Amino acid sequence: MKWKVDQRMLIILTGFMGVGKTTVGRILANKLGVPFVDMDYYIEARQGQTIAEIFDQIGESGFRLIEYQVLRELLEAEENGRMVISTGGGIVETTECRQLLVQQDQVFYLQDTFETSWQRINRGGLIQNDRPLVNANSKKQMAAKYERRIPLYEEASNYRLDVRRMAAHETAEVIRKMC
Ligand code: S3P
């Protein structure tokens, strides 16, 4: 196969917290030899604050606004045509973000069970969880959020991948073959 240097290779990963978007994204970008951007880390670097500090200071709605601006910036920058982006799990909460995502060709919704995600994000019930929504909500409330978001991820993505029982490197390989 002839590799086209100018070929667009923008892959976006969505899915609930703890599904493995960051790990899969990093492996995938490495395989493809393209840059990797994790939106949460990007936002923290841009704002000079942790996600928890941003939530503390300007609340979830303020964070969602920054998240939208960052997604727009990443998608608008011409040089970002070749890149893997892992999004924050709540990006689909914002209508404008969903509208941007549906315009892309390669948006993958990684789906695992709520229980698996919960085991990863609850981290044994740590008092200070770095995910503010886990601090602020009960397991039941998080499960409701997980359910409510399913149709939003489906709306915003081109492909849904059931990643139950799949290791991150296997998921990355499946996506690589699909691109
Ligand atoms: C959030 C998910 C987090 C982060 C923020 C809010 C959410 O990202 O953006 O804590 O609303 O689901 P991860 O999915 O990377 O944990």
Side-chain angles (χ1 to χ4, degrees):
M1 188 187 89
K2 190 166 176 289
W3 177 254
K4 281 190 273 165
V5 179
D6 63 349
Q7 194 176 331
R8 201 171 149 85
M9 175 67 75
L10 181 64
I11 298 169
I12 303 177
L13 306 181
T14 67
F16 202 69
M17 288 169 254
V19 75
K21 301 178 294 283
T22 303
T23 312
V24 170
R26 193 171 284 127
I27 298 171
L28 179 63
N30 200 34
K31 277 175 184 282
L32 295 169
V34 301
F36 170 62
V37 173
D38 176 275
M39 279 188 61
D40 283 344
Y41 295 151
Y42 187 95
I43 289 170
E44 288 185 336
R46 181 184 189 261
Q47 302 300 116
Q49 285 179 306
T50 64
I51 301 292
E53 287 166 347
I54 299 171
F55 268 68
D56 262 0
Q57 215 171 70
I58 54 175
E60 181 172 351
S61 59
F63 171 77
R64 296 290 171 222
L65 195 59
I66 297 172
E67 192 174 43
Y68 167 60
Q69 286 163 352
V70 164
L71 180 66
R72 224 180 45 193
E73 282 166 22
L74 288 171
L75 296 178
E76 277 172 3
E78 189 68 33
E79 66 273 20
N80 290 346
R82 291 173 59 74
M83 166 174 287
V84 176
I85 300 174
S86 75
T87 59
I91 198 157
V92 294
E93 296 275 2
T94 309
T95 308
E96 290 79 4
C97 287
R98 295 201 304 280
Q99 286 169 347
L100 286 177
L101 291 172
V102 290
Q103 293 168 31
Q104 311 306 313
D105 306 324
Q106 305 197 100
V107 182
F108 291 84
Y109 165 28
L110 310 187
Q111 189 178 35
D112 207 321
T113 62
F114 171 71
E115 273 306 325
T116 301
S117 288
W118 178 252
Q119 292 312 319
R120 292 192 187 136
I121 63 181
N122 187 41
R123 302 175 64 202
L126 279 183
I127 306 286
Q128 231 4 70
N129 193 298
D130 53 7
R131 289 181 172 94
L133 291 177
V134 179
N135 278 328
N137 290 279
S138 64
K139 180 179 179 184
K140 201 171 157 197
Q141 287 168 321
M142 291 301 283
K145 205 180 276 298
Y146 171 95
E147 290 299 329
R148 186 175 55 74
R149 284 182 182 173
I150 290 174
L152 304 181
Y153 291 124
E154 287 174 344
E155 175 193 326
S157 314
N158 311 99
Y159 307 99
R160 187 181 69 85
L161 290 184
D162 179 350
V163 301
R164 278 175 300 172
R165 293 180 293 275
M166 274 171 78
H169 71 271
E170 292 172 312
T171 306
E173 186 55 18
V174 169
I175 297 175
R176 191 191 66 77
K177 285 184 175 149
M178 289 171 76
C179 296

